[in-house]
Amino acid sequence: MHELMPDGGVIRKLWLHEAHIYRDHLLRLDMASRRSRFGGAVSDDHIRRHVDDSIMLDAVIHGFFVDGVLRGAAELRPIGSRFSGEAEAAFSVEKAWQSHGVGSELLSRTLLVARNRGVKFLRMLCLAENRRMQQLARKFDADLRFDFGSVIGEVTAPRPTPISVVREALTDSFSVANAMLDAQTRFFKPT
Ligand SMILES: CC(C)(COP(=O)(O)OP(=O)(O)OC[C@H]1O[C@@H](n2cnc3c(N)ncnc32)[C@H](O)[C@@H]1OP(=O)(O)O)[C@@H](O)C(=O)NCCC(=O)NCCS
């Protein structure tokens, strides 16, 4: 349910007031990762516009934190109205933390949330040459179908069950405890 990630990192959902740390994380991505994340080269201004304060009302964002700094994220956003059953997911892990299992854990959490929100159709922006994201999606073959022939992969998420809802709630309660511990660690850290 709760796993310690590389370098003692932890994964939890972002809170409403944390848009700025998500924006800073996306701005730190190296050029290749930024291109893969947004499906093309984008400017800093584009990222700032993407992460305005309303994003936290709309999206569920899981973050991977190391020493209180956001180093990876998974953004899940409904497409159209909240009840259309369609959503879009996008993933970003800063270069130094790539290939350590962070993306896999973020995708697993995102699929659970999508399932519990009644998402039937999950769209992932993925460039055709993005082998790592494709490998990552293949690990979840049982849960999703992914079409690599096109730039956009489309997946169908399974239906929620009482167990999947409880799994998400348990993960969230661990996350709150972690966030508090993290804040205390930073508070007591010598400057
Ligand atoms: C794509 C991304 C989210 C994956 O996250 P990650 O933490 O690097 O992925 P993981 O370590 O969980 O690896 C997932 C799988 O990718 C494959 N993989 C890992 N490193 C790889 C590499 N260097 N080359 C090719 N495949 C690789 C493996 O199959 C791995 O699964 P395994 O470890 O069970 O064998 C991350 O690399 C990233 O942010 N890239 C830039 C942005 C991006 O491409 N976003 C996706 C589009 S929205």
Side-chain angles (χ1 to χ4, degrees):
M1 191 67 56
H2 164 67
E3 271 175 61
L4 274 185
M5 299 298 296
D7 297 326
V10 289
I11 292 184
R12 67 165 172 84
K13 280 180 191 155
L14 264 59
W15 292 338
L16 275 179
H17 64 281
E18 293 184 315
H20 63 291
I21 63 172
Y22 182 42
R23 184 183 55 234
D24 292 347
H25 154 68
L26 290 176
L27 287 169
R28 274 194 302 272
L29 290 176
D30 63 283
M31 280 306 151
S33 298
R34 186 188 281 204
R35 182 174 177 279
S36 300
R37 162 61 180 79
F38 287 96
V42 295
S43 66
D44 288 1
D45 277 348
H46 178 94
I47 291 179
R48 289 194 187 96
R49 279 195 300 276
H50 177 77
V51 189
D52 61 12
D53 287 338
S54 69
I55 193 172
M56 309 307 283
L57 297 173
D58 229 17
V60 177
I61 300 173
H62 283 95
F64 163 67
F65 289 83
V66 179
D67 291 334
V69 181
L70 185 69
R71 298 297 185 183
E75 179 184 319
L76 177 71
R77 278 183 116 139
I79 300 173
S81 91
R82 271 198 175 270
F83 306 103
S84 69
E86 292 189 23
E88 186 169 62
F91 300 84
S92 49
V93 178
E94 291 179 32
K95 201 169 176 57
W97 285 272
Q98 289 178 5
S99 302
H100 288 92
V102 177
S104 304
E105 189 58 28
L106 287 171
L107 178 54
S108 158
R109 305 271 183 115
T110 301
L111 286 176
L112 180 63
V113 170
R115 173 184 198 163
N116 289 339
R117 301 294 180 283
V119 171
K120 300 206 173 46
F121 201 59
L122 181 61
R123 195 168 280 197
M124 283 199 241
L125 186 68
C126 179
L127 292 173
E129 75 248 23
N130 192 342
R131 296 267 161 245
R132 195 176 308 190
M133 189 65 218
Q134 292 169 21
Q135 286 295 339
L136 174 49
R138 280 202 185 98
K139 287 171 63 176
F140 294 84
D141 256 353
D143 290 340
L144 52 87
R145 279 183 297 117
F146 209 91
D147 173 14
F148 297 117
S150 63
V151 173
I152 293 184
E154 288 171 347
V155 305
T156 42
R159 296 153 82 82
T161 63
I163 290 177
S164 70
V165 173
V166 170
R167 268 181 65 207
E168 186 185 340
L170 277 176
T171 310
D172 286 350
S173 57
F174 278 122
S175 299
V176 171
N178 267 316
M180 288 167 71
L181 275 175
D182 194 45
Q184 284 175 355
T185 310
R186 272 181 289 149
F187 186 75
F188 288 115
K189 218 179 209 173
T191 45

